[in-house]
């Protein structure tokens, strides 16, 4: 019984982890069909914000929950103004430009902080014991934060004026523009918000995975696959993609080992995209957010 | 740039015609080229950057002492950017383009296997200065790092005496990790222990939760780790965060050579055991002077020194000793000098090249991590590379260029 609970929580954490690293990318992709290949580096920047500010004496919770999204959100807005807005509608060009941005960010961070960084912040919150099993309390906290974050994005999209304008722009940018919505501004805000969510995720993961200039590379592939498998709906897509891929990865990791877990995840994504080229939400939950 | 087939043929044949003139490593006068290929960016730079600093110091020291044979030694440092493809490209560049007298470098076993055949073909002396899984038997390749029979064979019985007989193994999923896991299982069995589970991790895995639950389920007395690279450091964090590090200790064959002990907090690392041929606290005058020179060169930014970086220094010095002994930088005299029982007293102690395997007889040190420092528990002097010696005899057969453990230990005839 204890084992079932422990495995269940680990599965849930695996799913939450995928959702957390993918949500920011999904917001940007869902809204403007821009695949941000510097997404991994936005996560990395969130992590560095936490490490640098805690080393400077800032409380770890303030650093993770406030500073990381704030700093990366601002960086996101700057990037959108300087780079992305010139490339809307040119998908391949944005891929190249954001890839270049990712290399630039890795280079800048490496030259400032060096190749390896002492992120000696330990995950707070201690250990939760379930019989003979133990799970880090911080991982449970991350599951809760991910749920809250998804809820917050849903509330924003569903009930605020910004959400209404954003959904309108998403469905038909030209019509929204004709009705007087400044799509330009909506894009900027969404990109900033997507970046902020990514920064938050990177900040939250910093204590448990550590930060390196190149850590983004370990996230980008999985985030990318999750978002593409999920399809264009921001929330339903991220959630469905994370549950499916994270669940399969977790189950196969338990049954055989991490290598097969990764293989199973990739194989599922390939088969899924063969059958549903527009992702899960291209076929199911089409009207969802 | 479009290159037509005709242009390609013309270009390459011009090169082929010119190449006899290019061959023969820059004789007389001029500088001696020493090439080093390391990962200075990308995921493996946590290993490569300190190795490069130590190599630079070695070349500075050689030149400060008047160079070799009255000539200055010039370091050509290539950044392979954690990409195997660049390794092959730079190895060819160093051997054929720079006509380097020797090429040092390679960090992962995969990178070594990528450049070893190239350098053997060009007959350019190759030094691999990294601790690794053993089994390379190559006339042209000098493997100066420690191997499992030198380190794992020491740490396993020590830890089993201290913690208990049941072991769980976690390792990186490429040739090093796979082979080191087989060595671990072998030494555990030989010492009367039991391996409860073995798991391999691709290098980009950052969530170790499922495995930690499995370890809790298996209840071993200790965990043996052969995890590699920046992403895998998160294993130690998550292991500690799940409250495991106090209950089930970890022994590692890789922790510390990327200076991991400086990257995680003291509580997360306390109690971890590791064995290498060098730790900063090795007590001898050469090491003291070495660390002082490193401090003078890099100041507060000096990375912690470990086997990889110190051996990069010592590998360069071993080569320099051979050149001095041979009185030439030509291939054959230097090769013979290297294989004449050449010794060098470095920061890690005495190193002697074993001509049977082209590996190094060296001191091995067992240490425990406390407060981000490795404290030395045991020192084993003059350990031979017994693993590679089981399969390799370059004295009887000096043209071999093989990696015996490529397909695992069983394939090499080791039970």
């Amino acid at each position: 019984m204890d084992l079932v609970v422990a495995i269940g929580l680990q599965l849930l954490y695996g799913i939450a982890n995928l959702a957390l690293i993918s949500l920011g990318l999904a917001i940007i992709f869902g809204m403007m069909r821009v695949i941000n290949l510097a997404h991994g580096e936005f996560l990395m920047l969130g992590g560095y914000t936490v490490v640098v500010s805690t080393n400077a004496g800032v409380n770890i919770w303030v650093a993770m929950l406030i500073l990381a999204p704030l700093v990366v959100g601002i960086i996101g807005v700057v990037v959108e103004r300087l780079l992305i807005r010139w490339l809307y509608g040119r998908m391949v060009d944005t891929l190249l430009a954001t890839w270049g941005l990712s290399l630039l960010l890795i280079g800048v961070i490496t030259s400032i902080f060096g190749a390896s960084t002492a992120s000696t912040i330990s995950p707070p919150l201690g250990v939760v014991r379930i019989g003979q099993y133990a799970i880090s309390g911080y991982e449970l906290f991350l599951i809760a934060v991910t749920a809250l974050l998804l809820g917050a994005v849903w509330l924003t999209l569903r009930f605020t004026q910004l959400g209404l304008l954003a959904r309108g722009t998403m469905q038909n940018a030209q019509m929204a523009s004709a009705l007087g919505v400044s799509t330009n501004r909506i894009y900027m805000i969404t990109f900033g918000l997507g970046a902020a969510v990514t920064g938050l995720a990177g900040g939250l993961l910093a204590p448990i995975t550590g930060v390196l200039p190149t850590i983004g590379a370990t996230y980008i592939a999985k985030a990318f696959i999750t978002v593409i498998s999920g399809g264009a709906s921001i929330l339903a897509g991220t959630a469905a993609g994370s549950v499916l891929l994270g669940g399969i990865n977790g189950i196969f990791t338990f049954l055989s080992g991490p290598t097969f877990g990764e293989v199973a995840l990739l194989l599922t994504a390939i088969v899924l995209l063969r059958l549903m080229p527009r992702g899960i939400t291209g076929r199911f939950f089409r009207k969802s957010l | 740039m479009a290159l037509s087939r005709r242009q390609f043929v013309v270009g390459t044949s011009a090169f082929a015609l010119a190449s006899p003139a290019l061959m023969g490593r820059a004789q007389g006068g001029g500088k001696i080229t020493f090439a080093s290929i390391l990962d200075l960016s990308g995921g493996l730079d946590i290993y490569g950057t300190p190795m490069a600093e130590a190599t630079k110091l070695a070349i500075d020291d050689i030149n400060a002492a008047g160079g070799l044979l009255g000539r200055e030694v010039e370091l050509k440092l290539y950044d392979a950017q954690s990409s195997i493809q660049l390794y092959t490209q730079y190895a060819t560049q160093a051997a054929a383009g720079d006509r380097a007298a020797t090429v040092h470098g390679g960090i992962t076993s995969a990178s070594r296997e990528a450049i070893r055949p190239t350098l053997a073909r060009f007959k350019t002396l190759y030094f691999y200065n990294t601790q690794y899984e053993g089994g390379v038997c190559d006339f042209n390749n000098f493997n100066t790092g420690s191997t499992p029979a030198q380190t794992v064979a020491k740490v396993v019985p020590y830890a089993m005496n201290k913690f208990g007989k049941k072991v769980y193994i976690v390792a990186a999923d490429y040739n090093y990790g796979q082979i080191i896991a087989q060595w671990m299982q072998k030494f555990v069995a030989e010492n009367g222990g039991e391996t409860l589970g073995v798991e391999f991790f691709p290098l980009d895995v950052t969530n170790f939760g499922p495995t930690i639950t499995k370890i809790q389920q298996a209840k071993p007395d200790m965990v043996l780790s052969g995890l590699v690279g920046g992403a895998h450091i998160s294993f130690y964090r998550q292991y500690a965060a799940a409250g495991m590090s106090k209950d089930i200790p970890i022994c590692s064959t890789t922790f510390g050579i990327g200076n991991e002990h400086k990257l995680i907090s003291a509580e997360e690392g306390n109690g971890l055991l590791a064995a290498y041929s060098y730790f900063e606290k090795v007590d001898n005058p050469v090491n003291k002077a070495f660390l002082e020179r490193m401090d003078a060169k890099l100041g507060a930014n000096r990375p912690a020194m470990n086997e990889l970086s110190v051996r990069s220094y010592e590998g360069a010095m071993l080569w320099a000793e051979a050149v001095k002994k041979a009185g030439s930088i030509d291939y054959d005299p230097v090769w013979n000098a290297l294989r004449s029982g050449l010794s060098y007293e470095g920061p890690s102690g005495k190193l002697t090249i074993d001509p049977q395997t082209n590996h190094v007889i060296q001191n091995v040190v067992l240490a425990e991590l406390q407060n981000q420092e490795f404290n030395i528990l045991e020192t084993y002097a003059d350990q031979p590379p017994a693993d590679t010696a089981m399969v390799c005899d370059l004295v009887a057969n000096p043209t071999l260029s093989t990696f015996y453990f490529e397909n695992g230990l069983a394939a090499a005839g080791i039970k």
Side-chain angles (χ1 to χ4, degrees):
Chain A
M1 185 57 210
D2 294 341
L3 179 62
V4 176
V5 175
I7 292 181
L9 284 174
Q10 283 299 346
L11 274 182
L12 209 56
Y13 174 68
I15 291 166
N17 192 317
L18 265 192
L20 195 59
I21 61 173
S22 312
L23 187 59
L25 187 68
I27 291 174
I28 293 170
F29 175 68
M31 179 61 73
M32 30 198 156
R33 292 291 178 276
V34 166
I35 292 280
N36 176 20
L37 278 186
H39 177 71
E41 282 59 48
F42 282 14
L43 286 163
M44 177 268 285
L45 289 174
Y48 268 91
T49 309
V50 170
V51 170
V52 170
S53 48
T54 46
N55 285 349
V58 178
N59 177 288
I60 185 168
W61 298 104
V62 176
M64 288 193 305
L65 298 172
I66 299 172
L67 285 181
L70 195 67
V71 169
V72 182
I74 291 170
I75 293 172
V77 170
V78 172
V79 166
E80 200 272 348
R81 283 294 93 180
L82 294 180
L83 188 70
I84 309 289
R85 72 172 166 139
W86 309 105
L87 302 169
Y88 282 123
R90 292 154 61 185
M91 193 159 190
V92 176
D93 298 350
T94 15
L95 280 179
L96 275 178
T98 51
W99 187 35
L101 178 68
S102 112
L103 297 176
L104 176 75
L105 290 174
I106 294 174
V108 167
I109 293 295
T110 309
S111 38
I112 298 175
F113 297 102
S116 54
T117 306
S119 50
T120 45
I121 33 171
S122 303
L125 293 176
V127 179
V128 177
R129 299 217 168 260
I130 310 149
Q132 57 157 311
Y133 298 94
I135 182 166
S136 146
Y138 190 70
E139 290 183 6
L140 300 181
F141 167 74
L142 285 185
I143 298 174
V145 170
T146 309
L148 283 175
L149 197 60
L150 288 168
V153 172
W154 183 76
L155 287 174
T156 311
L157 284 174
R158 186 76 185 76
F159 293 111
T160 64
Q161 200 199 355
L162 174 68
L164 185 71
L165 296 180
R167 280 184 290 143
T169 311
M170 235 171 112
Q171 278 175 10
N172 191 332
Q174 279 178 335
M175 183 57 76
S177 180
L179 291 172
V181 178
S182 166
T183 50
N184 207 337
R185 224 175 115 244
I186 294 287
Y187 282 153
M188 180 182 80
I189 294 170
T190 330
F191 199 91
L193 282 179
V197 168
T198 309
L200 176 65
L204 288 168
L205 288 172
I208 202 131
T209 48
V211 294
L212 293 166
T214 50
I215 197 80
T218 65
Y219 295 124
I220 181 71
K222 271 182 210 151
F224 192 89
I225 293 165
T226 309
V227 169
I228 300 293
S229 302
S233 301
I234 294 174
L235 282 172
T238 309
S242 309
V243 169
L244 180 72
L245 299 178
I248 284 185
N249 182 326
I251 290 167
F252 276 85
T253 304
F254 274 111
L255 290 181
S256 54
T259 308
F260 284 101
E262 301 280 293
V263 170
L265 183 154
L266 295 173
L267 209 61
T268 312
I270 293 169
V271 173
L272 181 103
L273 288 174
R274 175 67 189 82
L275 299 176
M276 298 180 235
R278 298 172 63 84
I280 299 172
T281 51
R283 171 82 51 95
F284 307 108
F285 322 111
R286 293 181 69 158
K287 294 262 164 66
S288 54
L289 284 172
Chain B
M1 186 185 75
L3 189 67
S4 76
R5 188 183 301 178
R6 180 180 302 259
Q7 283 168 324
F8 179 75
V9 169
V10 170
T12 45
S13 49
F15 178 76
L17 287 174
S19 48
L22 295 173
M23 299 308 280
R25 292 169 188 83
Q27 288 299 318
K31 294 174 179 173
I32 299 173
T33 304
F34 178 108
S36 173
I37 312 176
L38 293 165
D39 301 298
L40 306 179
S41 54
L44 296 168
D45 55 3
I46 60 168
Y47 306 111
T49 311
M51 291 171 85
E53 292 302 340
T55 309
K56 286 183 201 162
L57 182 69
I59 303 302
D60 289 352
D61 282 358
I62 291 170
N63 286 329
L68 287 176
L69 315 174
R71 290 162 64 186
E72 193 186 331
V73 179
E74 184 187 35
L75 174 65
K76 276 253 178 187
L77 185 58
Y78 290 97
D79 174 9
Q81 302 169 27
S82 306
S83 148
I84 299 291
Q85 187 205 334
L86 287 175
Y87 265 105
T88 344
Q89 185 185 326
Y90 289 146
T92 312
Q93 165 77 24
D98 307 336
R99 284 165 290 153
T102 180
V103 174
H104 289 227
I107 299 178
T108 62
S109 296
S111 64
R112 178 198 68 234
E113 287 310 294
I115 63 178
R116 194 170 58 78
T118 309
L119 295 169
R121 197 163 61 241
F122 282 105
K123 274 193 113 182
T124 303
L125 286 169
Y126 171 41
F127 281 67
Y128 178 60
N129 301 315
T130 310
Q131 67 99 7
Y132 84 112
E133 65 279 2
V136 169
C137 186
D138 188 326
F139 71 96
N140 184 58
N141 180 196
F142 291 83
N143 298 274
T144 59
S146 62
T147 56
Q150 292 167 320
T151 53
V152 185
K154 294 288 175 295
V155 79
V156 165
Y158 184 93
M160 281 170 60
N161 262 332
K162 196 169 175 187
F163 305 127
K165 302 268 182 204
K166 286 183 288 180
V167 172
Y168 203 98
I169 297 172
V170 290
D173 194 10
Y174 71 100
N175 54 2
Y176 169 77
Q178 296 275 352
I179 297 165
I180 205 74
Q182 292 180 354
W183 280 115
M184 289 171 176
Q185 284 168 280
K186 177 179 153 68
F187 291 126
V188 167
E190 278 177 4
N191 289 286
E194 186 190 354
T195 303
L196 301 180
V198 187
E199 297 223 7
F200 297 103
F201 300 85
L203 289 176
D204 61 351
V205 166
T206 52
N207 179 15
F208 292 86
T211 300
I212 290 170
T213 305
K214 278 163 107 172
I215 294 174
Q216 292 171 341
Q217 190 187 1
K219 295 201 206 73
D221 296 319
M222 63 167 155
V223 172
L224 287 177
S225 149
L227 297 170
V228 175
H232 282 183
I233 300 175
S234 37
F235 172 77
Y236 303 99
R237 295 171 178 280
Q238 291 168 22
Y239 194 78
M244 300 281 292
S245 51
K246 289 181 186 66
D247 302 339
I248 306 176
I250 301 179
C251 308
S252 176
T253 59
T254 45
F255 190 94
I257 52 172
N259 292 337
E260 288 88 345
H261 53 300
K262 301 286 183 194
L263 304 181
I264 65 171
S265 68
E267 308 84 66
E268 286 168 336
N270 281 350
L272 185 140
L273 286 183
Y276 298 108
S277 64
Y278 176 85
F279 288 101
E280 270 196 11
K281 289 199 174 167
V282 164
D283 188 20
N284 68 49
V286 184
N287 185 36
K288 198 157 163 269
F290 170 78
L291 290 176
E292 276 167 11
R293 284 203 306 287
M294 254 343 222
D295 278 332
K297 190 163 181 278
L298 297 172
N301 294 327
R302 174 174 78 78
M305 288 292 114
N306 52 52
E307 176 175 328
L308 299 197
S309 40
V310 166
R311 196 48 50 81
S312 299
Y313 177 88
E314 293 170 333
M317 288 307 192
L318 273 169
W319 168 79
E321 288 298 316
V323 170
K324 281 187 229 160
K325 189 168 179 183
S328 159
I329 59 161
D330 287 343
Y331 189 88
D332 288 333
V334 179
W335 188 79
N336 283 322
L338 280 167
R339 294 168 46 77
S340 63
L342 187 78
S343 270
Y344 167 72
E345 192 82 25
S348 74
K350 190 176 145 204
L351 302 167
T352 308
I353 294 180
D354 165 37
Q356 187 198 328
T357 55
N358 279 359
H359 282 54
V360 167
I361 299 162
Q362 56 196 299
N363 296 345
V364 171
V365 200
L366 185 82
E368 184 186 44
L369 185 61
Q370 282 299 339
N371 293 323
Q372 299 191 313
E373 301 266 357
F374 277 108
N375 297 318
I376 292 173
L377 301 175
E378 301 276 341
T379 304
Y380 309 89
D382 300 328
Q383 293 299 310
D387 37 28
T388 313
M390 290 161 89
V391 291
C392 175
D393 191 350
L394 286 164
V395 174
N397 204 345
T399 55
L400 282 172
S401 181
T402 320
F403 176 30
Y404 278 106
F405 300 161
E406 191 171 12
N407 298 312
L409 300 187
I414 298 173
K415 289 243 169 82

